[in-house]
Amino acid sequence: MTVISDADVTAAWLDDLARHCVDAVREFVGDRVREHFTGRAATTAAVTALPDFVADGKFLRPLFAYAGWRCGKPDDEAALRAASALELLHCFALAQDDVMDGSERRRGRPALHVTFARWHAERELGGSATRFGESAAILAGDLFLVWSEQLLRECGLPAEVLARGWPVYDHLRSELAVGQLDDLVNDARALPPWGDVLDVVRRKSGNYTVRRPLEFGAALAGCDERVRAALGTYGGLVGEAFQFRDDLLGVFGDPAVTGKPIGDDLRERKASTVVVLTAELAGRPQRAELAELLALDVVDAAAVERWQRLITATGARDQLEKFADDRVRHALEVLDLAGLPQQPADALTSLALRCTERVR
Amino acid sequence: MTVISDADVTAAWLDDLARHCVDAVREFVGDRVREHFTGRAATTAAVTALPDFVADGKFLRPLFAYAGWRCGKPDDEAALRAASALELLHCFALAQDDVMDGSERRRGRPALHVTFARWHAERELGGSATRFGESAAILAGDLFLVWSEQLLRECGLPAEVLARGWPVYDHLRSELAVGQLDDLVNDARALPPWGDVLDVVRRKSGNYTVRRPLEFGAALAGCDERVRAALGTYGGLVGEAFQFRDDLLGVFGDPAVTGKPIGDDLRERKASTVVVLTAELAGRPQRAELAELLALDVVDAAAVERWQRLITATGARDQLEKFADDRVRHALEVLDLAGLPQQPADALTSLALRCTERVR
């Protein structure tokens, strides 16, 4: 038994869990679509994409949630369905964020609002196809939000077990919407200080992707305070590292891997960690270049290249990679000291590395 | 004891209930805003409007839900809070529908997305104020949707009582979003047949405003099948009448009373009951006028007047008033035969008349 083989076993376990989650959400959404859209031909045709859309992700949040559950309880089909509910919550966020951010692509495919707009245009319905696409994607997001909660309530866990999870779940849901609102208020041209951006990162993606899902699973499992505190610390650190990598991927990532056009964050003028850190580290001549780039009305391919050069030259790229590495290392130390059961501990090690892989 | 005095007693009871509901949602939303926005100055300033926004309605849906409850159980503070959760659901729908429909005013005030856009413009933040306003209103809607469910779960009713209500509540929520999607697909220029429009009316406003709230309250109270069937029939009829009046108000109503500019539905090219019935009843020369009006790119005040004349001339206005009257009369007969307890029976009589008052 070598380390590599242990890692393989863990990876196989996580892949198996993810497949179960995919099946759970696809089946639940398929059932809901049949329940609510049967007999309304036009609208039904518009929503055929929904079951595939929800099955298309990496299921990071359900995996973190289920790892949290396994820190306190044995394997359980109902708990895995409960964890899957977080993927539907994520689909809600994706469907609506892509409208708000004007993102055209998601996971290498057209964003949901683009799919709806095309459907509208092909049928030559009245009014603006773009506007219809946006409204329909918002409504699909609303349905995902409702169905997430319904899947959780109907997952099969006893009410007294669910009762332990609701406060974390409720907090997570509100925090997600509030974080997105913060994000809209945060404008890159106003260049918020690093501390403010870190705060948004923590509340929005860090908490939402890693920490709260873990805490949610651990709460359902009734884990003791010591375990929950360790998971909270690990989750906070890995969540931040995840966002740093995500921001780097947005500027330097391979679109074939990220599924999104390069430079989208720059075009949307997001006060991302990579932009704000660049501003913090910029020397005098670099500040002039930064001001020029921030003032551009159109961020074309040439502008993205200038951004890439500036970010690298200030040292912000290396620094952010290092910040991410340090956080992951620290998180794994915390994990090591927490004395968790072997299987979830291995899973959390694997997930920390998986969701913070180096930018390709 | 005269009939008038009975009606006064009922009206006073309903007003008292509505005040309790107003307090419940204002307090709950105020608490949530404090919980999630404390310490984030910019975003907090943007959301100060939310507690007032949710307290500003007629609370029809909570009143119907509570009347349903009272058909099976005595007065109960927790049940009234459960009923109030439907008002937050309604706020979710209003906040997002006004974005999708491009409605600028709501209840005599600027719509929520307009308020957010103004806030953005006043602070001279980067990017489009309109776009920010729309996104922020969508997110406020999401929060209302989440908070509605949370208020219901935390209303104080025992879990086994709530368990009876969840299926109706879940159905109502999905039906609401699906109905709005139907509405967007339904284009006035395609002139759907009357039966299709009635179907949308039933699913969207009728069910959502009257029938499902009633069924929800009756389910919570554990009413027997006979009572629930009578309330379902009453609710379907009053819901349709409500929508007929609402569509008439959209064309003929006094903006000072409706709180919305006249002709908004016409501008949005909604295939409303009044437009579709006009098409069904139009004689040959009227059909030419109708085609002209439907083809207009801009629906200005003069066009609204032409619409009003055409709708009246075809007899669609009178016919729709009659349809509404007939349904209310039929609903009151059903109520009479159901043998309900006096107080909720009086309340349902009063509410049927209140929400289908003649167009002023």
Side-chain angles (χ1 to χ4, degrees):
Chain A
M1 289 293 143
T2 65
V3 173
I4 290 168
S5 131
D6 278 357
D8 283 350
V9 170
T10 300
W13 185 60
L14 289 172
D15 289 346
D16 186 52
L17 290 176
R19 270 192 299 275
H20 274 83
C21 294
V22 167
D23 291 345
V25 298
R26 197 205 298 271
E27 187 187 338
F28 191 81
V29 169
D31 286 349
R32 296 289 76 68
V33 166
R34 267 186 298 283
E35 178 185 354
H36 292 288
F37 289 95
T38 298
R40 39 212 342 165
T43 321
T44 308
V47 298
T48 48
L50 299 189
D52 285 341
F53 180 81
V54 299
D56 204 26
K58 291 197 285 287
F59 284 72
L60 275 180
R61 291 151 195 87
L63 292 177
F64 276 117
Y66 193 70
W69 166 268
R70 285 289 288 100
C71 288
K73 287 276 188 299
D75 277 314
D76 187 302
E77 276 287 329
L80 193 52
R81 267 197 303 282
S84 306
L86 296 188
E87 189 69 16
L88 286 186
L89 197 62
H90 185 47
C91 291
F92 145 73
L94 294 182
Q96 298 198 346
D97 284 13
D98 282 348
V99 172
M100 296 177 194
D101 298 342
S103 305
E104 298 285 315
R105 298 188 71 75
R106 167 67 61 187
R107 298 167 174 166
R109 307 186 192 197
L112 205 52
H113 64 96
V114 175
T115 303
F116 280 124
R118 283 187 192 160
W119 178 86
H120 188 275
E122 278 160 16
R123 298 176 79 96
E124 299 182 354
L125 297 172
S128 155
T130 304
R131 193 79 188 169
F132 172 83
E134 292 183 350
S135 298
I138 296 290
L139 288 166
D142 293 338
L143 288 170
F144 293 146
L145 177 58
V146 168
W147 294 344
S148 165
E149 192 266 336
Q150 196 179 343
L151 173 58
L152 176 55
R153 187 156 20 75
E154 298 174 0
C155 71
L157 288 175
E160 66 274 17
V161 172
L162 280 178
R164 294 194 296 249
W166 287 122
V168 184
Y169 181 76
D170 284 340
H171 194 79
L172 188 162
R173 292 191 291 175
S174 289
E175 194 174 48
L176 174 60
V178 171
Q180 173 69 1
L181 195 56
D182 273 350
D183 221 20
L184 296 174
V185 173
N186 241 332
D187 181 37
R189 277 172 289 197
L191 279 182
W194 177 248
D196 284 14
V197 174
L198 261 194
D199 190 54
V200 172
V201 163
R202 256 177 228 128
R203 290 172 188 267
K204 193 184 171 193
S205 42
N207 283 353
Y208 158 64
T209 306
V210 188
R211 184 174 177 174
R212 300 293 181 222
L214 256 175
E215 290 177 336
F216 170 65
L220 285 175
C223 289
D224 64 31
E225 203 36 63
R226 192 186 50 81
V227 168
R228 290 175 71 168
L231 294 178
T233 306
Y234 161 98
L237 291 163
V238 174
E240 283 176 30
F242 170 78
Q243 188 58 45
F244 295 164
R245 298 278 197 232
D246 205 50
D247 286 353
L248 284 166
L249 279 168
V251 179
F252 296 100
D254 176 356
V257 178
T258 64
K260 287 194 284 192
I262 209 162
D264 255 14
D265 286 356
L266 299 170
R267 254 168 237 118
E268 293 157 24
R269 306 193 186 284
K270 281 209 177 144
S272 71
T273 57
V274 67
V275 166
V276 173
L277 195 60
T278 298
E280 299 256 344
L281 298 179
R284 185 176 298 256
Q286 291 167 332
R287 266 178 249 159
E289 168 83 353
L290 176 69
E292 256 183 59
L293 287 172
L294 286 171
L296 287 177
D297 278 333
V298 177
V299 180
D300 57 12
V304 171
E305 268 184 47
R306 281 176 65 191
W307 265 113
Q308 290 175 331
R309 275 197 302 274
L310 177 68
I311 291 165
T312 307
T314 58
R317 182 180 184 176
D318 287 344
Q319 182 68 67
L320 212 52
E321 293 276 12
K322 188 175 173 322
F323 279 173
D325 287 343
D326 289 349
R327 277 164 171 78
V328 171
R329 195 174 318 113
H330 184 183
L332 296 183
E333 281 167 21
V334 171
L335 208 57
D336 216 32
L337 294 171
L340 301 173
Q342 196 59 42
Q343 199 176 37
D346 287 348
L348 290 174
T349 304
S350 171
L351 285 170
L353 301 171
R354 193 186 279 199
C355 77
T356 60
E357 267 166 22
R358 286 230 156 226
V359 173
R360 275 165 283 193
Chain B
M1 287 294 147
T2 65
V3 174
I4 290 167
S5 132
D6 279 356
D8 284 350
V9 169
T10 300
W13 185 60
L14 288 172
D15 290 346
D16 186 51
L17 290 176
R19 269 192 300 275
H20 274 83
C21 294
V22 168
D23 290 345
V25 297
R26 198 204 297 271
E27 187 188 339
F28 191 82
V29 169
D31 285 349
R32 294 290 76 68
V33 167
R34 267 187 296 284
E35 177 185 355
H36 292 288
F37 289 95
T38 298
R40 38 212 344 165
T43 322
T44 308
V47 298
T48 47
L50 299 188
D52 284 342
F53 180 81
V54 299
D56 204 25
K58 291 195 286 286
F59 284 71
L60 275 180
R61 292 152 195 87
L63 293 177
F64 277 117
Y66 194 70
W69 167 268
R70 285 288 289 98
C71 289
K73 287 276 189 297
D75 277 315
D76 186 303
E77 277 287 330
L80 194 52
R81 266 197 302 282
S84 305
L86 296 189
E87 189 68 15
L88 286 186
L89 198 61
H90 187 47
C91 292
F92 145 73
L94 295 181
Q96 298 198 347
D97 284 12
D98 282 347
V99 172
M100 296 176 193
D101 298 342
S103 304
E104 300 284 315
R105 297 189 70 76
R106 167 67 61 187
R107 297 165 175 167
R109 306 186 191 196
L112 205 51
H113 65 96
V114 175
T115 303
F116 280 124
R118 282 187 191 159
W119 178 87
H120 187 275
E122 277 161 16
R123 299 177 77 96
E124 299 182 351
L125 296 172
S128 155
T130 304
R131 191 80 189 169
F132 171 84
E134 292 184 349
S135 297
I138 297 290
L139 287 166
D142 293 337
L143 287 171
F144 293 146
L145 177 58
V146 168
W147 294 344
S148 165
E149 192 266 337
Q150 195 178 344
L151 173 58
L152 175 55
R153 186 154 23 73
E154 297 174 0
C155 71
L157 288 175
E160 66 274 17
V161 172
L162 279 178
R164 293 195 297 250
W166 287 122
V168 184
Y169 181 75
D170 284 339
H171 194 79
L172 188 163
R173 292 192 290 174
S174 289
E175 195 174 48
L176 174 60
V178 171
Q180 173 69 2
L181 194 56
D182 274 349
D183 222 19
L184 296 174
V185 173
N186 242 334
D187 181 39
R189 276 172 290 195
L191 279 182
W194 176 247
D196 285 14
V197 174
L198 260 194
D199 190 55
V200 172
V201 162
R202 255 177 228 129
R203 290 172 188 268
K204 195 184 168 190
S205 42
N207 283 353
Y208 157 65
T209 306
V210 188
R211 184 174 177 173
R212 302 289 181 224
L214 256 175
E215 290 178 335
F216 170 65
L220 285 175
C223 289
D224 65 32
E225 202 37 62
R226 194 188 49 81
V227 169
R228 290 175 70 168
L231 294 178
T233 306
Y234 162 98
L237 291 162
V238 174
E240 283 176 30
F242 170 78
Q243 188 58 44
F244 297 163
R245 297 281 198 230
D246 205 51
D247 285 354
L248 284 165
L249 279 169
V251 179
F252 296 100
D254 177 355
V257 178
T258 64
K260 286 194 286 192
I262 209 162
D264 255 16
D265 287 356
L266 298 172
R267 254 168 238 118
E268 293 158 24
R269 306 191 184 285
K270 281 208 178 147
S272 71
T273 57
V274 67
V275 166
V276 172
L277 194 60
T278 298
E280 300 256 343
L281 299 179
R284 185 176 299 254
Q286 291 168 331
R287 264 177 251 159
E289 168 83 352
L290 176 70
E292 255 184 56
L293 286 172
L294 285 170
L296 287 177
D297 279 333
V298 177
V299 180
D300 57 12
V304 170
E305 269 183 48
R306 283 176 64 193
W307 266 112
Q308 289 174 332
R309 275 198 302 274
L310 178 67
I311 291 164
T312 306
T314 57
R317 182 181 185 175
D318 286 343
Q319 183 67 68
L320 212 52
E321 292 277 10
K322 189 175 172 322
F323 279 173
D325 287 342
D326 289 349
R327 278 165 172 76
V328 170
R329 193 174 320 111
H330 183 182
L332 295 183
E333 281 167 22
V334 171
L335 208 57
D336 217 32
L337 295 170
L340 302 173
Q342 197 58 44
Q343 198 175 37
D346 287 347
L348 290 174
T349 303
S350 171
L351 285 170
L353 300 172
R354 189 184 283 202
C355 76
T356 58
E357 267 164 24
R358 286 230 157 226
V359 173
R360 274 165 282 194

